[in-house]
């Protein structure tokens, strides 16, 4: 009997918590993998790859080159929401930015860095 009354109390408590959420007009969709997103939203993934020539060692000049390469990816990510809003988004939220820098050197290739970057956004369509 105690188990049944606890079960009923838990059910009533759950209804009290759920009822205010159902009254809201905002709808949330649960995606596979446990992610949450609003109805009408879309995830956008953008990638870029480029090469910058220059020193690849431990010098200050090489460090500045790596910093400039990462900055390029971050600046692109910062402008991407503006571009998405111009073209197809009512609202935009950046979710992630990743950079990867690989040193390129050798006798038959230019010394420098191969940079790849990716960024993820969640937008609400116009």
């Amino acid at each position: 009997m105690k188990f049944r009354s606890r079960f009923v109390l838990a059910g009533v408590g759950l209804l009290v918590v759920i009822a205010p959420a159902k009254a809201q007009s905002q709808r949330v969709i649960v995606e596979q993998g446990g992610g949450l997103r609003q109805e009408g939203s879309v995830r956008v993934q953008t990638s870029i790859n480029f090469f910058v020539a220059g020193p690849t060692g431990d010098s200050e000049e090489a460090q500045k080159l790596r910093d400039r390469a990462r900055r390029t990816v971050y600046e692109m990510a910062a402008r991407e929401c503006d571009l998405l809003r111009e073209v197809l988004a009512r609202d935009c939220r950046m979710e992630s930015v990743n950079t990867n820098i690989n040193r390129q050197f050798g006798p038959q290739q230019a010394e420098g860095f191969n940079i790849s970057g990716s960024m993820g956004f969640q937008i609400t369509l116009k």
Side-chain angles (χ1 to χ4, degrees), residues 56 103-112:
T56 60
R103 189 171 92 163
Q104 176 178 297
F105 63 98
Q108 296 182 335
Q109 45 187 318
E111 183 177 7

Side-chain angles (χ1 to χ4, degrees), residues 68-125:
R68 192 177 82 218
R70 286 194 320 277
R71 177 182 293 274
T72 300
V73 174
Y74 299 149
E75 288 173 348
M76 180 182 170
R79 288 189 301 272
E80 194 69 17
C81 267
D82 294 335
L83 179 61
L84 286 165
R85 283 187 193 102
E86 286 177 23
V87 178
L88 55 100
R90 181 180 50 205
D91 190 29
C92 178
R93 181 173 57 96
M94 185 184 314
E95 291 185 326
S96 65
V97 177
N98 298 298
T99 61
N100 190 10
I101 300 176
N102 293 301
R103 189 171 92 163
Q104 176 178 297
F105 63 98
Q108 296 182 335
Q109 45 187 318
E111 183 177 7
F113 295 101
N114 287 307
I115 295 89
S116 60
S118 65
M119 52 215 75
F121 303 89
Q122 184 167 304
I123 65 168
T124 304
L125 298 173

Side-chain angles (χ1 to χ4, degrees), residues 42-56:
V42 175
R43 286 207 168 104
V44 176
Q45 182 79 28
T46 303
S47 299
I48 184 170
N49 296 297
F50 58 98
F51 176 79
V52 289
T56 60

